[in-house]
Amino acid sequence: MNASSAALAALSGLGFGLSLIVAIGAQNAFVLRQGIRGEHVLVVVSVCALSDMVLIAAGVGGFGAIVASAPMVLTLARYAGAAFLLGYAALAARRALTAGSLTPDATDTSMALGATFLTCLALTWLNPHVYLDTVVLLGSYASTYGPNRWYLAAGAMLASLVWFAALGYGARLLTPLFARRTAWRALDILIAAVMLTLAIGLLLQ
């Protein structure tokens, strides 16, 4: 093992990790909304990044083969995830249609810390795509790097941390835009549409 091959594996993991998480999805939509509101951002970013790190470690450690051989686990996660996403879509739609929820004042529709924590966990761990992408796919890809696979895992973990931190804290740059009620309405409509689309996709798989 040499430094150049380890660095190459880490960079590969960084790129591969970003390719998996940089997309419009339920988790990213939630992080974006919390970031714009400036509400429990550290908790949200930490839960998402640490969850990814655990899943990446499990995949690289060989847990992906177990997940792939147990389709019932993914089936249960699929239906539980779809139910949760439908519920969250309904809440986002209600926020968009309720006049009082359109104000940018975070005190109107703020989520308690516990509710934020549990919602973030559910959006992460009830998503079967997380297991397929992070555990199975990344785990299989990492296995091709032999002894350097943990450097690849480190790169993928760094990608997750950088992405969620940038999304959560960088969302503050959009605060001036969301000083308008129509912007909040549009965001909640978008979130509801994303959640509903993902839920239907899970049910139709």
Side-chain angles (χ1 to χ4, degrees):
M1 183 187 303
N2 54 61
S4 61
S5 61
L8 182 61
L11 287 174
S12 181
L14 180 67
F16 195 81
L18 286 173
S19 72
L20 292 177
I21 62 175
V22 179
I24 297 177
Q27 189 184 50
N28 285 339
F30 182 73
V31 175
L32 178 64
R33 187 178 192 278
Q34 294 301 110
I36 292 172
R37 297 183 67 83
E39 194 174 84
H40 310 307
V41 179
L42 179 60
V43 172
V44 170
V45 169
S46 298
V47 169
C48 291
L50 289 174
S51 293
D52 266 11
M53 290 178 184
V54 171
L55 290 165
I56 290 168
V60 175
F63 188 71
I66 298 176
V67 172
S69 65
M72 182 57 68
V73 174
L74 293 178
T75 299
L76 291 175
R78 180 159 61 94
Y79 286 111
F84 181 84
L85 289 173
L86 287 172
Y88 197 90
L91 290 176
R94 188 178 68 176
R95 284 196 305 264
L97 297 174
T98 304
S101 69
L102 301 177
T103 173
D105 183 0
T107 59
D108 256 349
T109 56
S110 60
M111 292 179 65
L113 177 59
T116 300
F117 178 75
L118 292 176
T119 299
C120 202
L121 281 179
L123 288 173
T124 301
W125 293 90
L126 290 180
N127 181 5
H129 292 296
V130 168
Y131 300 97
L132 291 173
D133 292 345
T134 308
V135 179
V136 178
L137 184 58
L138 191 142
S140 299
Y141 181 67
S143 66
T144 64
Y145 280 77
N148 286 322
R149 67 186 184 280
W150 288 108
Y151 289 100
L152 184 141
M157 291 176 184
L158 178 62
S160 179
L161 178 61
V162 169
W163 169 252
F164 286 120
L167 184 62
Y169 289 101
R172 292 180 180 180
L173 297 175
L174 298 175
T175 300
L177 172 64
F178 283 88
R180 294 179 295 176
R181 294 185 176 186
T182 52
W184 281 108
R185 182 191 295 273
L187 177 63
D188 278 325
I189 290 174
L190 174 62
I191 290 175
V194 168
M195 302 294 183
L196 179 61
T197 301
L198 291 173
I200 294 174
L202 289 179
L203 292 174
L204 294 180
Q205 281 183 352

